[in-house]
Amino acid sequence: MSIRIKLLLSYTGMLVLSLLVFVLIAGLFTIAATGDIRDIRDFYKVHYQVNPLTEQEESIFLELKYLAKNEPDELQNQELLKEYDFKLRTVRAGLYVRREKDQVFESHTFNQPELERSLPHYDLNNNQIRHTFNIGERFYAYAKYDFRYSDGAKGSVFVIRERSPFGEVTRKLLPVLVLILIGIIVITNVLLYRWITRSVVKPLDLLRNSAEHIKEGNLQFSLDLQTKDEIGQLNEAFEDMRKRLQASIQLRLQDEENRKELISNISHDLRTPITSIKGYIEGIRDGVADTPEKMDKYVNIIYAKAVDLDKLVGELFLYSKLDSKQVPFMFEPVDIIGFLDDCIDELQFILDEKGIQLEWMERTADRVEVIADLEKLKRTVLNIIGNAQNFMDKQPKTIRVSTRISPEWVTVEIQDNGMGIPRDAVPHIFERFYRVEPSRNSSTGGSGLGLAIASQIIEGHGGTIWAESELGVGTSLFFTLKRAIN
């Protein structure tokens, strides 16, 4: 659930609850005005039996009660009764006076024909002077006083007020209802705040703590928030960043180890020819080469070692630039069949001197164009064939070239019948300075960078390179190139 939806639900919940409470209060006021609910009417009857009149009505009632006790005949004076009724009508009450079974005065406020029959009987002891009564659905509260006129006739004076069953109590309960409404709103806000806090603020705190860990260099932790909202997406991105950063640091550490290993390998491979050169130079200085023949031999060996050093430095420089992606590739359409024909012709004479036969095994007669950097592709083929010729151990020494064509790729195979490579060493032959011999000597020739350079070049072409080998049988190296699309 997204944060937007959570906030929307939160505010919607607040609105709905507020509206429900408002409707409840409005309903109570409506009930107070109409008196439609009867089930709780008895509760209000008890209330009005104790307090039927307001303070103003009670004051007028006490005046009328005083007249009934001291000047009862005045309660037959219509003008006086009209004055008291006028005062009562201003406070929405009314006056009723009776003498025996006759009506002396009835306020126009009531407009109720059945009022006389609903009034209580005489009680000259006035044991209950306040009460309520119903006429149909209408509810009344009153205060009365029974007395005798000067001639001994019984009389009663009533101050009556029509009430809603709930009107006054609702008025009294209104502050309580307002407090309840405020309480509901406060509690709802607290619950919503807790919900938002648990679903938003707490995950953000976890992300902040994770950022603190990263700032301190600690990447050995993980975030495990399973939410699918924006916070969950942020957590997923943050966790991905942490993993990438951790992998970057590990890669940097690995590169540092590789750099140290590279320096060690370079030192080893440079030390061997340098040591030989120094040895032969010392032989010349010490007079060991005391004949022209020996001198020529020593000088030729020194020159050969210097050439090897120059070749090694050149390959180191090339590999370094390829590894750091600093060598530009000049791609163009190249006929791979014609290109391989040229490579075979170029190497044929040199290999023949070594007793190695270089030939086609599978060759198509059609022209097949690939996208390649001609110079670097030639370097790749020469490196692979040069590496193969160093490990030929059986007669006849043969290197075969094949091509396999697919709609998008051309696969070139260069196969030899040399000594082969152990299975566990095959995945490592494209690593820099890797030699199968544990001693890492260069007795077989080569710098240990030929196949590493070939791998970098083929990868720069967007292809792949791999090897298959069997001990005692031979080795096949494969690489792929993209076909040119006309």
Side-chain angles (χ1 to χ4, degrees):
M1 184 184 298
S2 69
I3 295 176
R4 291 189 183 92
I5 295 177
K6 289 180 180 179
L7 293 175
L8 177 62
L9 291 178
S10 300
Y11 288 114
T12 302
M14 275 296 303
L15 180 61
V16 169
L17 286 174
S18 300
L19 288 175
L20 286 176
V21 174
F22 175 79
V23 169
L24 177 62
I25 294 175
L28 290 176
F29 276 108
T30 303
I31 293 169
T34 61
D36 288 337
I37 296 182
R38 309 174 189 176
D39 294 338
I40 11 174
R41 178 171 288 175
D42 292 338
F43 167 77
Y44 293 99
K45 283 186 177 181
V46 172
H47 169 75
Y48 288 122
Q49 287 172 8
V50 179
N51 300 294
L53 305 178
T54 65
E55 185 177 346
Q56 292 174 297
E57 294 163 356
E58 188 69 26
S59 176
I60 296 171
F61 173 70
L62 291 176
E63 291 181 16
L64 293 169
K65 182 179 176 181
Y66 179 81
L67 288 175
K69 287 182 177 181
N70 298 294
E71 299 180 47
D73 291 338
E74 286 294 316
L75 294 177
Q76 297 182 90
N77 185 341
Q78 293 294 318
E79 294 298 325
L80 179 63
L81 294 176
K82 287 180 181 179
E83 290 180 9
Y84 278 110
D85 181 56
F86 178 78
K87 293 179 181 179
L88 290 170
R89 277 190 293 171
T90 59
V91 292
R92 303 182 66 182
L95 177 64
Y96 187 90
V97 181
R98 68 184 177 181
R99 175 186 172 91
E100 293 294 342
K101 295 182 179 181
D102 299 326
Q103 174 184 299
V104 177
F105 183 86
E106 180 181 355
S107 173
H108 294 294
T109 304
F110 306 129
N111 192 24
Q112 183 57 259
E114 298 183 3
L115 180 62
E116 183 178 352
R117 287 185 296 175
S118 300
L119 294 175
H121 298 294
Y122 287 101
D123 178 16
L124 295 175
N125 294 324
N126 289 305
N127 293 320
Q128 188 174 33
I129 64 174
R130 293 174 174 82
H131 212 289
T132 60
F133 64 89
N134 293 80
I135 301 176
E137 296 296 323
R138 303 178 71 176
F139 177 68
Y140 298 88
Y142 68 86
K144 78 173 180 72
Y145 186 76
D146 293 328
F147 61 93
R148 288 185 182 275
Y149 288 95
S150 59
D151 59 1
K154 294 185 288 185
S156 299
V157 58
F158 291 85
V159 175
I160 304 172
R161 181 182 180 89
E162 185 175 2
R163 302 279 188 176
S164 164
F166 309 98
E168 288 298 318
V169 174
T170 301
R171 179 178 61 82
K172 293 180 180 295
L173 292 179
L174 184 59
V176 178
L177 294 175
V178 171
L179 290 175
I180 292 174
L181 173 61
I182 294 174
I184 291 174
I185 293 175
V186 169
I187 292 173
T188 304
N189 271 297
V190 169
L191 294 176
L192 291 176
Y193 172 77
R194 182 175 177 83
W195 181 43
I196 293 297
T197 299
R198 290 177 63 88
S199 59
V200 177
V201 178
K202 186 176 179 180
L204 289 177
D205 282 339
L206 289 176
L207 286 174
R208 181 180 58 81
N209 292 334
S210 299
E212 291 291 334
H213 285 307
I214 292 178
K215 184 174 71 174
E216 294 170 0
N218 176 22
L219 295 173
Q220 302 300 321
F221 66 92
S222 63
L223 284 170
D224 189 21
L225 296 176
Q226 302 298 326
T227 56
K228 300 299 182 182
D229 56 15
E230 289 87 345
I231 299 295
Q233 295 170 6
L234 176 61
N235 163 76
E236 185 177 349
F238 192 92
E239 179 67 7
D240 184 60
M241 179 194 71
R242 182 195 67 82
K243 290 179 179 178
R244 288 175 179 269
L245 185 58
Q246 186 178 27
S248 176
I249 292 176
Q250 291 175 347
L251 181 60
R252 187 183 67 183
L253 294 175
Q254 183 62 43
D255 286 343
E256 182 66 19
E257 290 296 321
N258 291 341
R259 186 184 65 82
K260 294 178 180 178
E261 181 183 358
L262 178 61
I263 292 173
S264 175
N265 293 335
I266 292 173
S267 300
H268 180 275
D269 283 75
L270 289 177
R271 186 180 296 115
T272 301
I274 289 174
T275 301
S276 297
I277 290 172
K278 287 173 62 179
Y280 284 106
I281 290 175
E282 287 176 359
I284 293 173
R285 290 176 60 185
D286 293 341
V288 176
D290 53 0
T291 65
E293 291 80 9
K294 285 187 178 180
M295 180 63 72
D296 288 342
K297 178 180 178 182
Y298 277 36
V299 170
N300 288 335
I301 292 174
I302 292 172
Y303 177 77
K305 295 299 181 182
V307 170
D308 289 342
L309 275 175
D310 183 65
K311 182 180 178 181
L312 176 59
V313 170
E315 290 191 338
L316 281 171
F317 184 68
L318 176 60
Y319 178 82
S320 176
K321 293 181 69 176
L322 287 169
D323 193 45
S324 59
K325 313 298 182 186
Q326 294 180 357
V327 177
F329 283 78
M330 306 299 292
F331 293 111
E332 59 181 309
V334 175
D335 176 18
I336 189 64
I337 305 300
F339 167 78
L340 292 173
D341 281 338
D342 292 340
C343 290
I344 291 173
D345 291 341
E346 181 178 336
L347 294 171
Q348 191 71 60
F349 179 74
I350 299 173
L351 294 179
D352 284 345
E353 288 184 341
K354 299 180 180 181
I356 300 173
Q357 184 178 358
L358 177 61
E359 61 185 15
W360 277 99
M361 184 167 62
E362 294 181 23
R363 181 186 185 280
T364 178
D366 298 329
R367 177 184 176 89
V368 180
E369 288 191 343
V370 297
I371 300 299
D373 183 315
L374 190 59
E375 180 182 349
K376 295 181 179 61
L377 184 58
K378 183 176 181 181
R379 182 65 175 265
T380 299
V381 173
L382 294 179
N383 282 1
I384 293 174
I385 294 176
N387 186 77
Q389 71 180 357
N390 292 329
F391 299 94
M392 310 295 282
D393 63 343
K394 64 177 71 68
Q395 297 294 334
K397 299 178 180 180
T398 306
I399 298 176
R400 295 185 175 90
V401 179
S402 302
T403 55
R404 296 169 191 163
I405 313 300
S406 71
E408 295 184 7
W409 299 91
V410 173
T411 302
V412 177
E413 177 186 1
I414 299 176
Q415 181 189 67
D416 66 62
N417 63 342
M419 64 182 66
I421 304 170
R423 180 176 299 178
D424 58 347
V426 170
H428 303 288
I429 64 174
F430 297 103
E431 297 175 5
R432 59 197 177 198
F433 292 110
Y434 183 83
R435 295 192 185 94
V436 177
E437 293 85 351
S439 63
R440 295 193 55 82
N441 62 59
S442 55
S443 60
T444 57
S447 64
L449 287 171
L451 293 183
I453 291 173
S455 176
Q456 292 281 3
I457 291 174
I458 295 301
E459 288 177 5
H461 281 72
T464 55
I465 186 169
W466 71 97
E468 295 177 2
S469 184
E470 184 178 351
L471 276 176
V473 177
T475 302
S476 292
L477 277 109
F478 303 84
F479 63 88
T480 60
L481 297 168
K482 289 183 180 179
R483 291 189 63 177
I485 300 175
N486 296 324

